[in-house]
Amino acid sequence: MTYCATTSIICIARKSVTTIIIIKKFRRDDILTGELKDLKQSFIKRLEKLDRKRFKTDNIISVELAKQVSALSKEVNRQIGLLIDRQNEVQYVIVGDNRSIFIPELKRFRLVPGKLRGLRLVHTHLYGEPINDDDITDLAMLRLDSLTAIYVDEAGLPKSMDTIYLLPPNIENKTYDYLDEKDVYNQNINFLEFIRELEKEIEDKTAALFQVSSGNNAILAGVFKSKTEAKMALEELKELARSAGLNVLDTVYQIRNKVDPKYLLGVGKLKDLAIKAYQIGADYIIFDNNLQPSQAKEISKIVELKIMDRTQLILDIFAKRAHTDEGKLKVELAQLKYIMPRLSVKDDSLSRLTGGIGGRGPGETKLEIDRRRIKDRIAFLNRKLKQISKVRYTQRKRRLQREIPTVSIVGYTNAGKTTLINSLTNSSIYADNLMFATLDTSSKRLRFPEEKEIIITDTVGFIRDLPEDLKDAFKSTLDELYDADLFLHVVDISNPEFRKQIESVNKILEELNLIDVEQILVFNKIDLLDEESLKELKNEFPKAIFISAINRKTFNELLNRIFYILFRQKVKNGSS
């Protein structure tokens, strides 16, 4: 077998037969990009020769290459840009108009949070115009190693140059600075060594200032109508992120009456958010507002990080917390319903909405299947859940026939409901200081004097603006509430927004037509309040019970109230 390098032909001799195999040369088709439509083929070939350029100098660009790109730029009266890697090899040649260039999507050079891209942009300026806001935005958004403008003179030669680079996080919030390197023909800085030291400094300062963890760092964002609403919503989103195992680095919000239909945030604010996320080493951007599929698509064109909305974050927590077969089926159903409308978006946005946190759980293996199979799977899950619901109904029916009163603990997520049922019944149901720490319904017996007993049931925590898909998926859990004779409405009194949380729970109960069920308002976590604040709240809510779920000594009044309502009050009402 012989190989001809110049013709890319392999000749294989077998006895008297010679077989010729023509091998297609490997070619990076996207290396030449931009405004190519009106260019002559001979000029395009000269541009293509630039992609083979690789220089040995440690400078920003070799003098020879600077002269070549300047001459070509002047000849065609358009800006020309080169994206050069750290091996000094030209990876992209970009042709623009006479005032700007458009940088293509850099798929071959993945952006790693907290690091630089590994590419530097060198491009021509034909009219002596300085580095502008668009250049600075490109530098920051794409996390380029540097951005250089070569100023071309009338003869088509490089006259001088300016170079900007990104700064590590700093107290002045300054994004970039200029290199002291103006002379194309006499460059003094060892650029590659400078970039390696800069990237190390960026990593060290980012880790020190923002306590960046490996792969699970998030920046939170949203659009709100007021600062008060923004503060409350982002605090809750921060707790949700913490429950999902994310390290929240910062929060960003925009006050406006309506969300932007294309980008959710205004495009300028979105770019600022992306730049900040890159600068502080975020892996995720999580929006408090629910993203429409079209918005996810447009945002993914600007932001190269993983994006997630509030619904997906809650789904992720549910996937993490569901342990029973029923819980896992409900999570998968909700995930598939969430994914379904997004499958029609043919771009990277779905992949940015998945993977790692936000993509785990029983539904994660279903992302690549087609719409028909998803519909079939949804129908199958609905049938399975109906069967489980029938079993639950039979169990509840038996309890009702035995006339055992049922008490359901309801309340906002992380109010201490599971801790309370554990303390009341000496149980060991999993509980944690996290939102949605428990999802699966738990029922326990609680015995009273006089041979009386009740069934006390823990339910999934409520939350404001619970997504409709989650309401449907967890309907069988909420069905337990319809059999309750009494609700214990548990409230985290240490939360500054507890009044709004009470309103949210009552709103959900009203939507479920359960607002008329008798309830005891139980203020939990009194151990976290001072005596003066507790006294004021007791005056404000005279009918409420005040407890600490971790201190059984505070339960006497609660147990007496439950016993009175379920037994003595019923007897009185019956005799009257």
Side-chain angles (χ1 to χ4, degrees):
M1 181 174 71
T2 59
Y3 173 65
C4 307
T6 56
T7 59
S8 296
I9 295 176
I10 295 177
C11 303
I12 305 174
R14 292 177 181 169
K15 295 183 180 179
S16 59
V17 180
T18 300
T19 305
I20 299 177
I21 303 174
I22 300 176
I23 300 177
K24 185 179 180 180
K25 278 191 176 181
F26 173 70
R27 170 81 187 154
R28 294 172 296 175
D29 293 327
D30 59 347
I31 197 163
L32 179 58
T33 183
E35 303 289 334
L36 306 174
K37 186 177 180 182
D38 299 324
L39 297 180
K40 293 180 179 179
Q41 193 62 36
S42 59
F43 191 85
I44 289 176
K45 286 182 179 179
R46 289 163 64 193
L47 287 172
E48 286 177 342
K49 289 181 181 179
L50 295 176
D51 73 12
R52 303 189 187 97
K53 294 295 180 182
R54 182 173 184 173
F55 50 91
K56 295 181 180 180
T57 176
D58 290 327
N59 299 146
I60 297 169
I61 187 171
S62 69
V63 175
E64 178 194 353
L65 186 54
K67 284 181 177 180
Q68 282 184 302
V69 75
S70 297
L72 290 167
S73 181
K74 186 66 177 179
E75 181 179 340
V76 78
N77 195 34
R78 297 186 189 182
Q79 288 192 8
I80 295 177
L82 306 176
L83 281 166
I84 305 168
D85 65 18
R86 292 184 189 175
Q87 285 71 47
N88 289 332
E89 184 175 354
V90 176
Q91 292 291 335
Y92 292 87
V93 179
I94 309 164
V95 181
D97 56 28
N98 62 354
R99 292 284 181 179
S100 63
I101 61 172
F102 180 78
I103 300 174
E105 191 173 355
L106 306 176
K107 289 183 178 180
R108 289 190 284 114
F109 293 85
R110 189 172 64 89
L111 182 63
V112 178
K115 288 182 174 288
L116 298 174
R117 177 81 66 170
L119 290 174
R120 60 189 181 273
L121 173 65
V122 180
H123 70 305
T124 57
H125 279 202
L126 295 168
Y127 305 110
E129 68 275 25
I131 287 175
N132 57 30
D133 289 343
D134 288 339
D135 292 325
I136 295 165
T137 301
D138 286 339
L139 174 74
M141 288 287 295
L142 298 173
R143 299 293 291 174
L144 299 173
D145 288 356
S146 66
L147 183 145
T148 298
I150 295 179
Y151 303 110
V152 182
D153 65 16
E154 289 299 319
L157 292 170
K159 183 169 55 177
S160 63
M161 68 181 187
D162 277 327
T163 299
I164 56 175
Y165 62 94
L166 292 172
L167 289 172
N170 54 84
I171 57 175
E172 296 90 1
N173 287 323
K174 192 176 177 183
T175 306
Y176 69 96
D177 202 356
Y178 281 83
L179 267 178
D180 187 20
E181 192 75 278
K182 300 282 188 181
D183 191 346
V184 179
Y185 303 96
N186 187 26
Q187 300 173 50
N188 297 312
I189 294 176
N190 185 321
F191 179 77
L192 297 178
E193 185 178 319
F194 169 79
I195 285 300
R196 283 193 290 268
E197 291 176 358
L198 174 64
E199 188 168 55
K200 181 68 168 59
E201 187 180 358
I202 288 173
E203 286 185 74
D204 291 345
K205 287 191 175 180
T206 300
L209 287 174
F210 299 101
Q211 298 179 337
V212 175
S213 60
S214 178
N216 289 331
N217 306 294
I219 186 167
L220 312 182
V223 176
F224 307 97
K225 292 182 179 179
S226 68
K227 287 185 178 180
T228 304
E229 181 188 356
K231 182 182 177 182
M232 181 185 75
L234 289 175
E235 277 299 316
E236 182 175 277
L237 190 64
K238 189 182 291 186
E239 283 301 305
L240 285 168
R242 189 173 70 87
S243 296
L246 287 165
N247 175 36
V248 177
L249 303 179
D250 204 353
T251 57
V252 173
Y253 63 86
Q254 187 175 43
I255 305 299
R256 54 191 296 169
N257 290 328
K258 292 183 179 179
V259 300
D260 186 286
K262 188 173 183 180
Y263 296 109
L264 192 78
L265 302 166
V267 64
K269 190 72 173 179
L270 180 61
K271 286 183 177 179
D272 290 343
L273 169 63
I275 290 169
K276 188 169 192 177
Y278 298 146
Q279 188 177 32
I280 65 179
D283 302 280
Y284 297 83
I285 296 178
I286 303 176
F287 294 92
D288 186 72
N289 315 80
N290 289 324
L291 294 172
Q292 297 299 320
S294 60
Q295 289 172 330
K297 176 182 177 180
E298 294 302 324
I299 291 171
S300 70
K301 291 178 180 178
I302 294 177
V303 180
E304 292 191 53
L305 303 176
K306 293 177 182 177
I307 58 174
M308 200 187 310
D309 62 16
R310 184 171 177 270
T311 296
Q312 193 180 8
L313 184 61
I314 294 173
L315 279 170
D316 180 81
I317 297 168
F318 281 8
K320 187 178 181 180
R321 302 278 188 266
H323 298 297
T324 65
D325 290 340
E326 180 185 8
K328 291 175 181 177
L329 289 174
K330 291 171 184 174
V331 170
E332 182 178 354
L333 180 61
Q335 285 178 322
L336 291 178
K337 285 184 176 181
Y338 178 86
I339 291 165
M340 187 73 165
R342 288 158 176 80
L343 287 181
S344 60
V345 181
K346 302 294 185 182
D347 60 75
D348 290 345
S349 62
L350 186 61
S351 64
R352 301 246 181 101
L353 284 164
T354 58
I357 292 175
R360 65 176 140 214
E364 67 181 335
T365 58
K366 308 298 182 292
L367 293 180
E368 301 302 325
I369 64 178
D370 59 32
R371 295 175 68 86
R372 180 184 59 78
R373 289 182 63 196
I374 285 185
K375 286 180 180 178
D376 292 343
R377 183 66 180 173
I378 288 173
F380 170 77
L381 292 174
N382 279 323
R383 288 195 300 270
K384 290 283 288 184
L385 287 171
K386 280 183 181 178
Q387 292 172 3
I388 294 173
S389 182
K390 286 180 182 178
V391 173
R392 281 189 173 277
Y393 175 76
T394 303
Q395 292 172 343
R396 293 199 301 269
K397 191 174 180 181
R398 287 173 183 167
R399 286 205 306 260
L400 292 171
Q401 287 173 348
R402 294 172 62 185
E403 295 185 347
I404 301 176
T406 300
V407 175
S408 285
I409 302 179
V410 299
Y412 212 78
T413 180
N414 205 26
K417 301 182 297 300
T418 306
T419 302
L420 176 59
I421 194 173
N422 280 338
S423 296
L424 284 170
T425 62
N426 290 321
S427 303
S428 56
I429 304 167
Y430 173 75
D432 202 345
N433 184 27
L434 296 169
M435 301 186 89
F436 300 114
T438 52
L439 292 180
D440 302 313
T441 301
S442 301
S443 296
K444 301 292 180 181
R445 287 178 182 269
L446 180 62
R447 294 189 180 277
F448 282 88
E450 304 177 20
E451 298 300 320
K452 303 290 185 182
E453 67 177 9
I454 65 171
I455 300 294
I456 188 163
T457 302
D458 185 21
T459 58
V460 63
F462 292 2
I463 195 168
R464 66 176 177 87
D465 303 326
L466 188 69
E468 287 300 321
D469 288 342
L470 291 181
K471 285 182 184 177
D472 293 340
F474 283 80
K475 190 174 184 302
S476 60
T477 300
L478 299 177
D479 279 348
E480 293 282 342
L481 301 179
Y482 290 97
D483 299 321
D485 299 285
L486 175 67
F487 290 155
L488 300 186
H489 183 169
V490 179
V491 180
D492 177 3
I493 202 172
S494 67
N495 191 308
E497 302 296 333
F498 75 85
R499 291 177 179 83
K500 291 186 181 294
Q501 292 182 352
I502 292 173
E503 290 176 9
S504 296
V505 171
N506 285 332
K507 183 180 178 182
I508 294 173
L509 290 174
E510 189 174 357
E511 290 173 358
L512 296 170
N513 295 318
L514 290 167
I515 197 65
D516 294 329
V517 176
E518 189 164 5
Q519 66 172 257
I520 301 173
L521 192 61
V522 182
F523 284 120
N524 186 26
K525 305 185 184 181
I526 61 171
D527 50 304
L528 301 179
L529 293 184
D530 58 78
E531 290 186 10
E532 186 63 32
S533 299
L534 187 58
K535 184 178 179 181
E536 290 176 4
L537 288 168
K538 285 183 176 180
N539 290 331
E540 184 181 352
F541 299 93
K543 293 184 178 180
I545 304 291
F546 293 79
I547 68 163
S548 169
I550 59 175
N551 184 359
R552 292 172 60 87
K553 293 180 180 179
T554 64
F555 292 173
N556 286 340
E557 186 180 359
L558 174 61
L559 292 170
N560 289 335
R561 182 80 65 88
I562 294 171
F563 186 80
Y564 175 79
I565 291 172
L566 293 179
F567 299 110
R568 291 180 182 171
Q569 182 173 285
K570 278 190 174 182
V571 171
K572 285 184 180 181
N573 291 339
S575 62
S576 60

